[in-house]
Amino acid sequence: MIKVSVKGKMPDIRRKILASISETTREFLPRIKADTPVDTGFLRSQWRRKRNRNGETLLNKTEYASFVEDSQRFIEPHIEPLKRSIVNKVKRKSRSR
């Protein structure tokens, strides 16, 4: 699960950051799906974006997703760099708006 959120009471800045988060998670979801290991394709098909008032979460509620994620072949080379990439992209987009 990758969670990106923002807290604060500055409405203009908050709105820009939330828009950047939304755009970035929408852009990265296909990349996460593509990097998910495939046996039957079910795990890959279950990735979702969940929005809330503080940001968005990319999640996979498949029962065995955490086991695949913990197997090192998936999380180490893919998720950690992706998290950094999402945060950096949100920062860049928020500054440019």
Side-chain angles (χ1 to χ4, degrees):
M1 172 171 43
I2 300 173
K3 185 175 182 176
V4 183
S5 62
V6 63
K7 294 180 182 178
K9 297 189 180 204
M10 301 169 125
D12 291 340
I13 294 171
R14 181 182 172 79
R15 187 173 56 252
K16 288 177 184 180
I17 292 172
L18 287 173
S20 296
I21 290 170
S22 181
E23 182 179 331
T24 304
T25 55
R26 188 173 39 254
E27 180 181 318
F28 277 93
L29 185 58
R31 200 166 140 194
I32 291 170
K33 285 183 177 184
D35 286 345
T36 302
V38 176
D39 184 14
T40 65
F42 184 71
L43 179 64
R44 183 178 280 182
S45 72
Q46 296 304 301
W47 280 104
R48 302 286 183 260
R49 279 176 51 217
K50 181 181 175 187
R51 296 181 198 182
N52 60 42
R53 44 183 260 122
N54 291 327
E56 294 195 14
T57 304
L58 297 174
L59 60 109
N60 192 321
K61 290 188 176 181
T62 305
E63 217 172 275
Y64 55 89
S66 63
F67 298 108
V68 174
E69 190 173 315
D70 290 340
S71 75
Q72 299 297 325
R73 68 184 175 142
F74 182 58
I75 187 139
E76 286 303 320
H78 300 289
I79 295 297
E80 292 305 322
L82 192 55
K83 285 180 184 178
R84 284 191 300 276
S85 183
I86 289 171
V87 169
N88 290 335
K89 188 160 192 145
V90 167
K91 284 180 182 177
R92 282 194 311 275
K93 287 183 177 288
S94 296
R95 286 185 202 126
S96 67
R97 291 180 183 235

